[in-house]
Structure formats: C-alpha cells, structure tokens
Amino acid sequence: MRQCLTSDLGGYYTSTALSDSDQFGSKGDFVTSPEISQIFGELIGVWIVAEWIAQGRKTEGVCLMEMGPGRGTLMDDVLRTVRNFPPLAKAIEAVYLVEASQNLRLAQHKLLCGDTPLLRNDLGFESTSKHSKDLRIIWTEDIRFVPRTTDKAPFIIAHEFFDALPIHVFQSVLPNPQQADNAAQSQSTALGQVDSTASSPGWTKDEIARLAQLRVDQGLNWEEVAKQLQRSILDVRAKYYELSMPNKASEAVPRRSASGKSQGNQWRELVVSPKPPHRLKEDEPEFELTKSRAGTPHSMYLPETSARYRALKDIDGATIEISPESQAYARDFAIRLGGLNPQEATKGSAVTPVTARTVSSAPSEEAFLKREPSGAALIIDYGPASTIPANSLRGIKQHRRVSPFLSPGTTDVSADVDFLALAESAINASPGVEVHGPVEQGRFLTAMGIEERAAQLVKQAVDRERGGSTGQDKAELTELVKRIESGWKRLVDRGPQGMGRLYQVMAITPYKPAKEGQPRRRPVGFGGDITV
C-alpha cells in the first residue's frame, strides 16, 4: 500500500506527472466530506474551539496539526472558523501539515496562503496564512519532524488518513501434520528459507542486552538482527517475543502433543504475489493475495499483541487486518497530548512490548513527560466501530470500487480502520489521555449542529438576495440552497451505504478525573457540552 500510494517512483499521491485533474472531486476518483459541504470543516473548527474552552482557554502554545490534508479544504474551513474566536486565533503559534505529496502541498499552499511565497526550512517548507500574517503554515513529510514540547497544546486532525496506511492480513488455519512437521524443520518466510535447527539453545546476558539495544520495533528488520547476533531469524524472534511479552510467549509457538506433532490453529499471512502465467488474463490485475504456506515473522508476533486478535486464533478461517503503522500514529498522538507512560519512559534500553513500529526515537520519548495533558486529536474515517476489520482492502477509481491491484500507482488503495486498536494503542501509550467514541459521523455532526448551521447559511443567502447585494437571480439562489441542503444531508445519511453511518469519529483528549459527586466530562459531539 505504501509503495502504491506514496512511492517516489510514481505513487498515487506522490507522482509528479502533470494531470488535468487531481484525485479529489467529481472529476477525480473520490469526494471527501470537506469537498461536499463547507459546514463539515466549520464544525471541526467549532469542536477545536470547544475543546480549547473546556481546557481553560490557553493563551499561548497552541498549535494545529493535520495529517494528509488533501487539497487543504478542511484546514481552510477550520482556520476561517477559528478566526471568529480571536483569543484562540491569537494563541495558535503554527499550523503543521504532514504531507508526502509535492502536488498536494502546492495546492494546499495556494489555498491556505495565496500569493505568499513557499520557503524551505529545517522541517520542510513554510509560508504565512492568508487568514493572518502572524500565523505560520509549516509542511513536513513525516510526523517525526513536528516538534514535541511539553508545554504545547496540539490539536490534531486526521480525516481519511488512517485508511491509507499499510495493513497486514492474517488468517487462522489448522495445518495438516505434514505441513506442521515441515515447519518445525524449515520455516518459509518473506526473507527466504530459514533452518530452525540452526538455533542456538542458550542466550548469554550480553546477547540479551544486545538484542534489547537493537530495538527491532524501531525499524531494524529481523534478517539484520539475526546476522548481528549470529543466530537464526526464528531464534531471535522467539527470544525477543519472550522478553517482550513473557506471559504470551508460549502462544506464539504452535502447541505440540506428547508425540511431538503440532496441534491447534496457527496464523498465516496473506501476501501480495504475482499471478501464475497460466491464470493471467488480459485486462486483469497481475497480482493477488495468496496465503503463505508457513508462518512469517509478522504472523508469529503481530496477532499475539492483543487479546482481541488472540480470541480469534482457534476459529478456522478467521481473518483479521492489523496496521502497526496506524497504531504507531495513535500512540504518537497520545504521547503528544498526555506525555509518555512513565513505565515506558523508565525502561531505558529494555525490550518493550511489540505493539507497533514507533514513529519517534527512543531518547525523545524517554524525556517526554508533560506536567499537564493538553490538546486533542480528532480521527474521522471509515471502518467498523467495535470489530476487527477483515477483507476490506479495496481500490477506488473514478468513484467505483475496483481491485486494489488494478493499475498500481494510479488507483487509490485503502482499508477499513480498526478504531479499537487505535484506542488501545493511545491508552497504553499515555496515562494522560482518554478516548471517546467511535460514534457514527451522522450522530457526531448532528450533535455539533449541522442542521442549524445549514439553516443559517440558507437564511443568509436569501437575505443577501433580497437585499440585492449578490447580483444573483432566483434560479441561482435556488441552486445554492439545493447544494447546501443536499450537502449536509449527504454527510449525515444513515442509510446502508450512507456517509453518516459508514464513517466513524473518535477523539483522544486529556484525561481528567471527575470531581467527587460529578460525572466525567465528555467532549462536545460525544454526549458532552461546555460552559462558555
């Protein structure tokens, strides 16, 4: 997915080829909520204002962040809304846009900054907002480049961002005795054939210390680790998992009976493979998902990282999708808002549980302890509210669902978001945050006042037409009113395929214990309110 979407060799979002149209809108491949109605972005802005008020109206140190900002339409509507609340607008020090596409970055700059020049800086690029000459707009390709500071209050928006992050797909199978016996001797992995009989029986303290320092979860692959330790990949992985999650280590290895035969289900990874020539037909994709014959490094540890996954292991054919990168982003959001969990911060170089590939370096995390949690993250995407996604990998082209393997680099590829996995990662990462939702987009927008705002826009349009200040005739006014009405209703549509039902909204906010005799505070849009 990463290669198809953001490769520098011609990814869907990062291609530098000139085109008459972009990916968004009726002439592109899909339409997003901000493009359907300005009210969507306005209500996101109102939500940020409400959270800022609820957290004590900070007068400085506020920043806005958006992940994958598209054309910049959402952030433009947010900034236009925030401008109506001068104390907050003055408190915002910068807007950070995490964007990998050069073409989209240029489109965002034009919309958000107008004719103000786009200049290079240490993080990437920067310019000045058209809404305020004192507001810096900063672009960076990776969230790791956005500074983490303990005295800042970041308000993070991730709209249709997580669905584009890579996933791993696993299926539970009951291997036949021959396969199990072969697997015990030779493990077929994505890195090639590994002879398990080459494993060394014992580990010295020095070897364990070296394994801890290598920090596989920070991006070093198993093959490199095995070479450095002069051990087999299986031996390294097993020891790493044993140190990381001692209570679950035995579950990562197939159970064996007294006769030595494997019993019980095992996870197999579904990997992208080229189709055999005899099955390759004209105008069909050249690739497909195939089930690995034996365990892969990912299948032997990722499905063991959560009780939600382990509960499905013994169900034949159970399929799950896991996105370590998504969990890493949720973890990063939580740490920025609430600080790093002190238990993790004091571990130093000790091996930590493998929950995701982290997105920041260990030294910065060890020092990041916030005195007071602040800020908030709002995640809006499609996916099941309470179950693990399965069979959701899809391609989108010209507003139609197609094979994800069709025309790699020119087809949008996405997968459903596992909201509970994001919540689990956020809560485990920081004691200073709590999670609200997910709730259906229709319910969230209705609670935020989408119908009332639409009625206000219609009234303003009618009043301007009656006053003769627009120069529009009645036909144009009628068309405008229809667009306003159809737009907001589409966003909250709760039909089987309606956006109001398919899209979910989840918030990560600072944890604040309730006062004695009072209920816990809930954010607006999630059953809560504020006192202005």
Side-chain angles (χ1 to χ4, degrees):
M1 290 177 68
R2 183 186 294 108
Q3 191 76 3
C4 290
L5 295 177
T6 58
S7 169
D8 57 358
L9 300 178
Y12 180 74
Y13 290 109
T14 52
S15 173
T16 56
L18 296 177
S19 175
D20 294 332
S21 63
D22 58 23
Q23 300 92 342
F24 305 91
S26 58
K27 296 182 179 180
D29 292 323
F30 53 85
V31 178
T32 61
S33 296
E35 309 290 340
I36 292 173
S37 174
Q38 71 179 64
I39 305 176
F40 182 85
E42 292 173 345
L43 295 184
I44 302 303
V46 170
W47 189 87
I48 292 174
V49 172
E51 270 303 297
W52 170 75
I53 293 174
Q55 295 179 28
R57 305 171 188 255
K58 286 183 66 111
T59 58
E60 60 181 3
V62 176
C63 66
L64 302 183
M65 292 173 56
E66 185 177 2
M67 313 299 298
R71 286 173 169 170
T73 306
L74 175 56
M75 182 55 71
D76 188 49
D77 291 334
V78 167
L79 292 177
R80 180 166 44 79
T81 301
V82 168
R83 187 177 57 182
N84 296 318
F85 299 85
L88 172 57
K90 187 177 180 180
I92 298 175
E93 296 182 350
V95 175
Y96 293 93
L97 302 179
V98 180
E99 179 57 70
S101 167
Q102 175 183 335
N103 289 344
L104 289 177
R105 181 172 64 242
L106 294 175
Q108 295 155 15
H109 170 256
K110 182 177 181 180
L111 179 62
L112 298 174
C113 304
D115 296 330
T116 308
L118 181 64
L119 307 175
R120 282 192 173 274
N121 64 10
D122 293 339
L123 302 181
F125 298 86
E126 72 172 272
S127 189
T128 304
S129 170
K130 68 181 182 183
H131 297 289
S132 171
K133 63 179 181 180
D134 299 320
L135 181 60
R136 298 166 63 208
I137 310 289
I138 301 172
W139 283 265
T140 182
E141 293 186 358
D142 197 305
I143 193 173
R144 289 174 293 185
F145 299 143
V146 180
R148 280 186 187 174
T149 50
T150 58
D151 60 341
K152 303 298 183 185
F155 288 87
I156 306 169
I157 305 170
H159 174 252
E160 293 204 48
F161 170 73
F162 283 95
D163 65 271
L165 297 181
I167 63 170
H168 291 271
V169 186
F170 304 102
Q171 189 173 89
S172 176
V173 301
L174 184 63
N176 61 50
Q178 182 64 38
Q179 286 180 321
D181 188 60
N182 291 341
Q185 299 299 322
S186 179
Q187 179 71 51
S188 177
T189 73
L191 302 174
Q193 290 289 331
V194 179
D195 185 2
S196 64
T197 60
S199 300
S200 302
W203 284 74
T204 66
K205 291 184 178 180
D206 289 342
E207 286 178 321
I208 293 176
R210 289 174 62 194
L211 177 61
Q213 294 173 357
L214 290 174
R215 299 299 295 272
V216 177
D217 56 321
Q218 300 247 355
L220 197 60
N221 69 50
W222 296 106
E223 187 175 32
E224 294 173 350
V225 176
K227 285 181 179 178
Q228 292 190 37
L229 294 176
Q230 296 184 339
R231 288 180 175 270
S232 73
I233 294 175
L234 286 182
D235 199 20
V236 171
R237 191 218 62 80
K239 176 56 68 175
Y240 184 83
Y241 191 86
E242 177 187 338
L243 294 172
S244 301
M245 304 181 72
N247 294 332
K248 298 299 178 184
S250 61
E251 297 183 24
V253 182
R255 298 186 295 276
R256 290 185 174 274
S257 64
S259 64
K261 296 298 183 179
S262 177
Q263 58 181 344
N265 284 37
Q266 300 175 10
W267 290 109
R268 293 289 182 264
E269 187 166 9
L270 302 185
V271 295
V272 178
S273 306
K275 283 184 179 179
H278 69 278
R279 289 201 293 107
L280 189 60
K281 298 180 181 180
E282 191 175 354
D283 298 328
E284 284 190 358
E286 298 179 24
F287 298 92
E288 62 184 358
L289 280 181
T290 58
K291 184 167 59 182
S292 60
R293 292 186 176 183
T296 64
H298 289 116
S299 72
M300 298 179 75
Y301 79 91
L302 277 180
E304 305 295 336
T305 58
S306 171
R308 299 171 64 233
Y309 308 142
R310 294 193 295 270
L312 299 176
K313 186 173 184 178
D314 291 330
I315 302 176
D316 290 345
T319 303
I320 60 175
E321 296 172 354
I322 304 176
S323 175
E325 194 164 332
S326 295
Q327 296 175 22
Y329 275 106
R331 182 175 185 272
D332 183 270
F333 293 175
I335 293 172
R336 290 177 185 274
L337 303 180
L340 183 66
N341 189 325
Q343 294 180 351
E344 294 192 30
T346 57
K347 285 182 181 178
S349 61
V351 178
T352 55
V354 184
T355 56
R357 181 176 63 82
T358 57
V359 295
S360 58
S361 61
S364 63
E365 289 188 354
E366 291 173 5
F368 198 77
L369 299 174
K370 293 188 75 169
R371 178 177 301 177
E372 181 181 5
S374 58
L378 194 65
I379 299 169
I380 308 171
D381 227 309
Y382 47 82
S386 59
T387 58
I388 302 170
N391 304 315
S392 72
L393 183 64
R394 63 178 71 84
I396 301 292
K397 196 173 185 66
Q398 296 178 347
H399 304 276
R400 294 186 301 108
R401 184 166 177 165
V402 299
S403 167
F405 307 114
L406 178 68
S407 304
T410 63
T411 298
D412 183 35
V413 182
S414 66
D416 284 356
V417 176
D418 187 347
F419 283 92
L420 290 190
L422 301 185
E424 187 177 33
S425 297
I427 292 173
N428 289 340
S430 174
V433 302
E434 59 187 21
V435 175
H436 299 270
V439 300
E440 292 179 353
Q441 176 175 286
R443 174 183 167 189
F444 174 81
L445 294 177
T446 299
M448 292 299 298
I450 188 171
E451 185 172 1
E452 291 79 5
R453 175 55 175 161
Q456 185 182 53
L457 289 177
V458 170
K459 184 177 183 302
Q460 290 175 354
V462 172
D463 289 346
R464 285 197 300 267
E465 193 275 336
R466 287 176 177 173
S469 60
T470 64
Q472 294 178 326
D473 57 28
K474 289 187 177 181
E476 292 175 320
L477 175 62
T478 301
E479 183 61 29
L480 175 60
V481 171
K482 284 183 178 179
R483 285 203 306 271
I484 295 173
E485 289 291 325
S486 64
W488 80 264
K489 289 180 179 178
R490 181 178 176 184
L491 294 178
V492 300
D493 178 18
R494 297 189 69 254
Q497 297 300 316
M499 298 181 72
R501 178 186 292 271
L502 295 180
Y503 283 78
Q504 307 289 331
V505 186
M506 188 173 79
I508 306 174
T509 62
Y511 170 71
K512 189 173 183 180
K515 295 181 180 179
E516 187 175 353
Q518 295 184 0
R520 291 274 298 278
R521 183 188 81 85
R522 299 179 67 85
V524 295
F526 297 87
D529 206 343
I530 59 168
T531 302
V532 180

Short mmCIF file of all heavy atoms in Angstrom, two decimals, residues 207-253:
data_model
loop_
_atom_site.label_atom_id
_atom_site.label_comp_id
_atom_site.label_asym_id
_atom_site.label_seq_id
_atom_site.Cartn_x
_atom_site.Cartn_y
_atom_site.Cartn_z
N GLU A 207 24.22 -11.21 25.01
CA GLU A 207 23.39 -11.31 23.82
C GLU A 207 22.01 -10.69 24.05
O GLU A 207 21.47 -10.00 23.18
CB GLU A 207 23.24 -12.78 23.42
CG GLU A 207 24.48 -13.38 22.80
CD GLU A 207 24.30 -14.84 22.47
OE1 GLU A 207 23.67 -15.56 23.28
OE2 GLU A 207 24.77 -15.27 21.41
N ILE A 208 21.44 -10.92 25.22
CA ILE A 208 20.12 -10.34 25.54
C ILE A 208 20.22 -8.82 25.58
O ILE A 208 19.34 -8.11 25.09
CB ILE A 208 19.60 -10.91 26.87
CG1 ILE A 208 19.29 -12.40 26.71
CG2 ILE A 208 18.37 -10.15 27.33
CD1 ILE A 208 18.86 -13.08 27.98
N ALA A 209 21.30 -8.31 26.14
CA ALA A 209 21.48 -6.85 26.20
C ALA A 209 21.61 -6.27 24.80
O ALA A 209 21.06 -5.21 24.50
CB ALA A 209 22.71 -6.52 27.03
N ARG A 210 22.34 -6.98 23.92
CA ARG A 210 22.48 -6.50 22.54
C ARG A 210 21.14 -6.53 21.81
O ARG A 210 20.82 -5.63 21.06
CB ARG A 210 23.50 -7.36 21.80
CG ARG A 210 24.94 -7.15 22.26
CD ARG A 210 25.87 -8.12 21.58
NE ARG A 210 25.86 -7.93 20.13
CZ ARG A 210 26.37 -8.80 19.27
NH1 ARG A 210 26.91 -9.92 19.72
NH2 ARG A 210 26.33 -8.56 17.97
N LEU A 211 20.36 -7.58 22.07
CA LEU A 211 19.04 -7.66 21.44
C LEU A 211 18.17 -6.51 21.90
O LEU A 211 17.42 -5.92 21.12
CB LEU A 211 18.38 -9.00 21.79
CG LEU A 211 16.95 -9.22 21.26
CD1 LEU A 211 16.95 -9.16 19.74
CD2 LEU A 211 16.39 -10.54 21.74
N ALA A 212 18.25 -6.15 23.18
CA ALA A 212 17.47 -5.04 23.70
C ALA A 212 17.85 -3.73 23.02
O ALA A 212 17.00 -2.89 22.71
CB ALA A 212 17.67 -4.92 25.22
N GLN A 213 19.14 -3.54 22.76
CA GLN A 213 19.60 -2.30 22.15
C GLN A 213 19.21 -2.18 20.69
O GLN A 213 19.07 -1.08 20.16
CB GLN A 213 21.12 -2.18 22.31
CG GLN A 213 21.57 -2.03 23.76
CD GLN A 213 23.08 -2.09 23.90
OE1 GLN A 213 23.78 -2.30 22.91
NE2 GLN A 213 23.57 -1.92 25.12
N LEU A 214 19.05 -3.32 20.04
CA LEU A 214 18.74 -3.29 18.60
C LEU A 214 17.36 -2.75 18.33
O LEU A 214 17.10 -2.19 17.26
CB LEU A 214 18.90 -4.69 18.00
CG LEU A 214 20.35 -5.19 17.92
CD1 LEU A 214 20.39 -6.63 17.46
CD2 LEU A 214 21.16 -4.31 17.00
N ARG A 215 16.42 -2.92 19.29
CA ARG A 215 15.07 -2.36 19.17
C ARG A 215 14.44 -2.66 17.82
O ARG A 215 14.27 -1.80 16.96
CB ARG A 215 15.09 -0.84 19.40
CG ARG A 215 15.58 -0.43 20.77
CD ARG A 215 14.68 -0.99 21.87
NE ARG A 215 13.36 -0.43 21.79
CZ ARG A 215 13.02 0.70 22.40
NH1 ARG A 215 13.89 1.37 23.11
NH2 ARG A 215 11.78 1.15 22.31
N VAL A 216 14.10 -3.91 17.58
CA VAL A 216 13.51 -4.32 16.30
C VAL A 216 12.29 -3.49 15.99
O VAL A 216 12.01 -3.15 14.84
CB VAL A 216 13.13 -5.82 16.37
CG1 VAL A 216 12.45 -6.26 15.09
CG2 VAL A 216 14.40 -6.64 16.58
N ASP A 217 11.51 -3.11 17.02
CA ASP A 217 10.28 -2.36 16.78
C ASP A 217 10.55 -0.95 16.28
O ASP A 217 9.63 -0.21 16.00
CB ASP A 217 9.43 -2.31 18.05
CG ASP A 217 10.19 -1.71 19.22
OD1 ASP A 217 11.38 -1.99 19.38
OD2 ASP A 217 9.56 -0.97 19.99
N GLN A 218 11.81 -0.55 16.18
CA GLN A 218 12.12 0.78 15.68
C GLN A 218 12.54 0.74 14.21
O GLN A 218 13.04 1.71 13.69
CB GLN A 218 13.22 1.41 16.52
CG GLN A 218 12.82 1.55 17.98
CD GLN A 218 12.69 2.99 18.38
OE1 GLN A 218 12.98 3.89 17.60
NE2 GLN A 218 12.23 3.23 19.58
N GLY A 219 12.38 -0.39 13.56
CA GLY A 219 12.57 -0.40 12.13
C GLY A 219 13.64 -1.35 11.61
O GLY A 219 13.75 -1.56 10.41
N LEU A 220 14.48 -1.94 12.48
CA LEU A 220 15.51 -2.86 12.02
C LEU A 220 14.87 -4.21 11.71
O LEU A 220 14.17 -4.76 12.54
CB LEU A 220 16.56 -3.03 13.12
CG LEU A 220 17.91 -3.63 12.72
CD1 LEU A 220 18.57 -2.77 11.65
CD2 LEU A 220 18.82 -3.75 13.93
N ASN A 221 15.11 -4.74 10.53
CA ASN A 221 14.41 -5.98 10.18
C ASN A 221 15.09 -7.19 10.81
O ASN A 221 16.24 -7.17 11.24
CB ASN A 221 14.27 -6.14 8.66
CG ASN A 221 15.60 -6.38 7.97
OD1 ASN A 221 16.37 -7.24 8.35
ND2 ASN A 221 15.86 -5.60 6.91
N TRP A 222 14.31 -8.29 10.86
CA TRP A 222 14.75 -9.49 11.56
C TRP A 222 16.03 -10.07 10.96
O TRP A 222 16.87 -10.63 11.68
CB TRP A 222 13.64 -10.54 11.52
CG TRP A 222 12.41 -10.12 12.26
CD1 TRP A 222 11.22 -9.72 11.73
CD2 TRP A 222 12.24 -10.05 13.67
NE1 TRP A 222 10.33 -9.41 12.72
CE2 TRP A 222 10.93 -9.60 13.93
CE3 TRP A 222 13.07 -10.33 14.76
CZ2 TRP A 222 10.44 -9.43 15.21
CZ3 TRP A 222 12.59 -10.15 16.05
CH2 TRP A 222 11.29 -9.70 16.26
N GLU A 223 16.19 -9.97 9.65
CA GLU A 223 17.36 -10.56 9.00
C GLU A 223 18.63 -9.87 9.49
O GLU A 223 19.64 -10.53 9.78
CB GLU A 223 17.23 -10.43 7.48
CG GLU A 223 18.32 -11.16 6.72
CD GLU A 223 18.10 -11.10 5.21
OE1 GLU A 223 17.56 -10.09 4.74
OE2 GLU A 223 18.46 -12.07 4.55
N GLU A 224 18.60 -8.54 9.60
CA GLU A 224 19.77 -7.80 10.06
C GLU A 224 20.10 -8.13 11.51
O GLU A 224 21.27 -8.29 11.89
CB GLU A 224 19.54 -6.30 9.88
CG GLU A 224 19.44 -5.86 8.43
CD GLU A 224 19.03 -4.41 8.30
OE1 GLU A 224 18.67 -3.82 9.34
OE2 GLU A 224 19.09 -3.88 7.19
N VAL A 225 19.05 -8.26 12.33
CA VAL A 225 19.25 -8.60 13.74
C VAL A 225 19.90 -9.97 13.86
O VAL A 225 20.84 -10.18 14.63
CB VAL A 225 17.91 -8.57 14.50
CG1 VAL A 225 18.11 -9.03 15.94
CG2 VAL A 225 17.33 -7.17 14.49
N ALA A 226 19.37 -10.94 13.10
CA ALA A 226 19.90 -12.30 13.15
C ALA A 226 21.37 -12.35 12.75
O ALA A 226 22.18 -13.07 13.35
CB ALA A 226 19.06 -13.21 12.25
N LYS A 227 21.73 -11.56 11.74
CA LYS A 227 23.12 -11.56 11.29
C LYS A 227 24.03 -11.00 12.37
O LYS A 227 25.12 -11.51 12.62
CB LYS A 227 23.25 -10.72 10.01
CG LYS A 227 22.72 -11.42 8.76
CD LYS A 227 22.91 -10.54 7.53
CE LYS A 227 22.40 -11.24 6.28
NZ LYS A 227 22.55 -10.37 5.07
N GLN A 228 23.59 -9.92 13.02
CA GLN A 228 24.42 -9.30 14.05
C GLN A 228 24.62 -10.21 15.24
O GLN A 228 25.67 -10.19 15.89
CB GLN A 228 23.81 -7.97 14.48
CG GLN A 228 23.84 -6.92 13.39
CD GLN A 228 23.46 -5.54 13.91
OE1 GLN A 228 23.81 -5.19 15.01
NE2 GLN A 228 22.75 -4.77 13.11
N LEU A 229 23.60 -11.00 15.57
CA LEU A 229 23.68 -11.89 16.71
C LEU A 229 24.15 -13.29 16.33
O LEU A 229 24.32 -14.16 17.20
CB LEU A 229 22.32 -11.98 17.41
CG LEU A 229 21.84 -10.69 18.07
CD1 LEU A 229 20.44 -10.88 18.64
CD2 LEU A 229 22.79 -10.27 19.18
N GLN A 230 24.33 -13.54 15.03
CA GLN A 230 24.76 -14.84 14.51
C GLN A 230 23.82 -15.96 14.97
O GLN A 230 24.25 -17.02 15.45
CB GLN A 230 26.21 -15.13 14.94
CG GLN A 230 27.20 -14.14 14.35
CD GLN A 230 28.64 -14.49 14.71
OE1 GLN A 230 28.90 -15.21 15.67
NE2 GLN A 230 29.58 -13.97 13.95
N ARG A 231 22.53 -15.69 14.82
CA ARG A 231 21.52 -16.67 15.16
C ARG A 231 20.48 -16.72 14.04
O ARG A 231 20.46 -15.86 13.17
CB ARG A 231 20.83 -16.31 16.48
CG ARG A 231 21.72 -16.52 17.70
CD ARG A 231 20.98 -16.14 18.98
NE ARG A 231 21.76 -16.44 20.17
CZ ARG A 231 21.73 -17.59 20.82
NH1 ARG A 231 20.94 -18.56 20.37
NH2 ARG A 231 22.46 -17.79 21.89
N SER A 232 19.59 -17.73 14.09
CA SER A 232 18.55 -17.81 13.09
C SER A 232 17.48 -16.76 13.36
O SER A 232 17.33 -16.27 14.50
CB SER A 232 17.90 -19.20 13.09
OG SER A 232 17.07 -19.35 14.23
N ILE A 233 16.74 -16.42 12.34
CA ILE A 233 15.67 -15.44 12.48
C ILE A 233 14.62 -15.92 13.49
O ILE A 233 14.14 -15.16 14.33
CB ILE A 233 15.01 -15.16 11.12
CG1 ILE A 233 16.01 -14.46 10.19
CG2 ILE A 233 13.77 -14.28 11.29
CD1 ILE A 233 15.50 -14.24 8.79
N LEU A 234 14.28 -17.20 13.42
CA LEU A 234 13.28 -17.75 14.34
C LEU A 234 13.75 -17.67 15.78
O LEU A 234 12.98 -17.37 16.69
CB LEU A 234 12.94 -19.19 13.96
CG LEU A 234 12.08 -19.39 12.72
CD1 LEU A 234 11.80 -20.87 12.52
CD2 LEU A 234 10.77 -18.63 12.85
N ASP A 235 15.03 -17.95 16.01
CA ASP A 235 15.57 -17.91 17.36
C ASP A 235 15.53 -16.49 17.91
O ASP A 235 15.16 -16.25 19.07
CB ASP A 235 17.01 -18.43 17.34
CG ASP A 235 17.49 -18.85 18.72
OD1 ASP A 235 16.63 -19.09 19.59
OD2 ASP A 235 18.71 -18.94 18.93
N VAL A 236 15.91 -15.52 17.09
CA VAL A 236 15.90 -14.11 17.51
C VAL A 236 14.47 -13.65 17.79
O VAL A 236 14.19 -13.01 18.81
CB VAL A 236 16.55 -13.22 16.43
CG1 VAL A 236 16.34 -11.75 16.75
CG2 VAL A 236 18.03 -13.53 16.34
N ARG A 237 13.57 -13.98 16.88
CA ARG A 237 12.19 -13.55 17.07
C ARG A 237 11.57 -14.15 18.33
O ARG A 237 10.88 -13.49 19.10
CB ARG A 237 11.35 -13.95 15.86
CG ARG A 237 9.95 -13.31 15.86
CD ARG A 237 8.92 -14.28 15.34
NE ARG A 237 8.82 -15.45 16.17
CZ ARG A 237 8.16 -15.50 17.31
NH1 ARG A 237 7.53 -14.45 17.76
NH2 ARG A 237 8.12 -16.61 18.03
N ALA A 238 11.82 -15.44 18.55
CA ALA A 238 11.26 -16.11 19.72
C ALA A 238 11.78 -15.50 21.02
O ALA A 238 11.02 -15.26 21.96
CB ALA A 238 11.58 -17.60 19.67
N LYS A 239 13.09 -15.21 21.08
CA LYS A 239 13.66 -14.63 22.30
C LYS A 239 13.15 -13.20 22.50
O LYS A 239 12.83 -12.80 23.62
CB LYS A 239 15.19 -14.64 22.21
CG LYS A 239 15.89 -13.97 23.39
CD LYS A 239 15.49 -14.56 24.73
CE LYS A 239 15.97 -15.98 24.90
NZ LYS A 239 15.68 -16.49 26.27
N TYR A 240 13.07 -12.47 21.41
CA TYR A 240 12.56 -11.09 21.51
C TYR A 240 11.13 -11.08 22.04
O TYR A 240 10.77 -10.30 22.92
CB TYR A 240 12.62 -10.42 20.14
CG TYR A 240 12.22 -8.95 20.16
CD1 TYR A 240 13.14 -7.97 20.52
CD2 TYR A 240 10.93 -8.55 19.84
CE1 TYR A 240 12.79 -6.65 20.55
CE2 TYR A 240 10.57 -7.22 19.87
CZ TYR A 240 11.51 -6.28 20.23
OH TYR A 240 11.14 -4.96 20.27
N TYR A 241 10.32 -11.98 21.49
CA TYR A 241 8.93 -12.04 21.92
C TYR A 241 8.83 -12.50 23.38
O TYR A 241 8.03 -12.01 24.16
CB TYR A 241 8.13 -12.99 21.02
CG TYR A 241 6.64 -12.89 21.24
CD1 TYR A 241 5.90 -11.93 20.57
CD2 TYR A 241 6.01 -13.73 22.14
CE1 TYR A 241 4.54 -11.81 20.79
CE2 TYR A 241 4.66 -13.63 22.37
CZ TYR A 241 3.92 -12.66 21.69
OH TYR A 241 2.58 -12.56 21.92
N GLU A 242 9.69 -13.44 23.75
CA GLU A 242 9.68 -13.95 25.12
C GLU A 242 10.00 -12.83 26.11
O GLU A 242 9.37 -12.70 27.17
CB GLU A 242 10.71 -15.07 25.26
CG GLU A 242 10.85 -15.61 26.69
CD GLU A 242 11.99 -16.60 26.78
OE1 GLU A 242 12.38 -17.17 25.73
OE2 GLU A 242 12.50 -16.80 27.90
N LEU A 243 10.98 -11.99 25.77
CA LEU A 243 11.36 -10.88 26.64
C LEU A 243 10.29 -9.79 26.66
O LEU A 243 10.07 -9.13 27.68
CB LEU A 243 12.69 -10.28 26.19
CG LEU A 243 13.91 -11.20 26.32
CD1 LEU A 243 15.10 -10.56 25.65
CD2 LEU A 243 14.19 -11.51 27.78
N SER A 244 9.63 -9.59 25.51
CA SER A 244 8.64 -8.52 25.40
C SER A 244 7.35 -8.86 26.12
O SER A 244 6.77 -8.03 26.81
CB SER A 244 8.33 -8.23 23.93
OG SER A 244 9.50 -7.85 23.26
N MET A 245 6.86 -10.07 25.92
CA MET A 245 5.57 -10.47 26.47
C MET A 245 5.68 -11.87 27.06
O MET A 245 5.23 -12.85 26.48
CB MET A 245 4.50 -10.43 25.37
CG MET A 245 4.37 -9.09 24.69
SD MET A 245 3.09 -9.06 23.43
CE MET A 245 1.62 -9.09 24.45
N PRO A 246 6.31 -11.98 28.23
CA PRO A 246 6.59 -13.30 28.78
C PRO A 246 5.35 -14.14 29.03
O PRO A 246 5.40 -15.36 28.95
CB PRO A 246 7.30 -12.98 30.10
CG PRO A 246 6.95 -11.55 30.40
CD PRO A 246 6.79 -10.91 29.07
N ASN A 247 4.23 -13.53 29.32
CA ASN A 247 3.02 -14.30 29.60
C ASN A 247 2.39 -14.89 28.35
O ASN A 247 1.54 -15.76 28.42
CB ASN A 247 1.98 -13.42 30.32
CG ASN A 247 2.46 -13.01 31.69
OD1 ASN A 247 3.23 -13.73 32.32
ND2 ASN A 247 2.01 -11.86 32.15
N LYS A 248 2.79 -14.36 27.19
CA LYS A 248 2.18 -14.79 25.94
C LYS A 248 3.17 -15.50 25.02
O LYS A 248 2.81 -15.89 23.93
CB LYS A 248 1.58 -13.58 25.21
CG LYS A 248 0.48 -12.88 26.00
CD LYS A 248 -0.67 -13.81 26.28
CE LYS A 248 -1.77 -13.15 27.10
NZ LYS A 248 -2.84 -14.10 27.45
N ALA A 249 4.39 -15.64 25.46
CA ALA A 249 5.40 -16.20 24.55
C ALA A 249 5.03 -17.58 24.07
O ALA A 249 5.25 -17.93 22.91
CB ALA A 249 6.76 -16.25 25.27
N SER A 250 4.47 -18.38 24.96
CA SER A 250 4.14 -19.74 24.56
C SER A 250 3.05 -19.79 23.52
O SER A 250 2.97 -20.74 22.75
CB SER A 250 3.69 -20.55 25.79
OG SER A 250 2.54 -19.96 26.36
N GLU A 251 2.22 -18.73 23.43
CA GLU A 251 1.12 -18.74 22.48
C GLU A 251 1.59 -18.45 21.08
O GLU A 251 0.87 -18.68 20.12
CB GLU A 251 0.05 -17.72 22.90
CG GLU A 251 -0.59 -18.05 24.24
CD GLU A 251 -1.69 -17.06 24.57
OE1 GLU A 251 -2.25 -16.47 23.64
OE2 GLU A 251 -1.99 -16.89 25.74
N ALA A 252 2.81 -17.91 20.94
CA ALA A 252 3.32 -17.59 19.61
C ALA A 252 3.86 -18.81 18.90
O ALA A 252 4.12 -18.78 17.71
CB ALA A 252 4.43 -16.54 19.72
N VAL A 253 4.04 -19.90 19.67
CA VAL A 253 4.60 -21.12 19.10
C VAL A 253 3.50 -22.17 19.02
O VAL A 253 2.73 -22.35 19.95
CB VAL A 253 5.76 -21.62 19.99
CG1 VAL A 253 6.38 -22.87 19.38
CG2 VAL A 253 6.80 -20.53 20.15
#
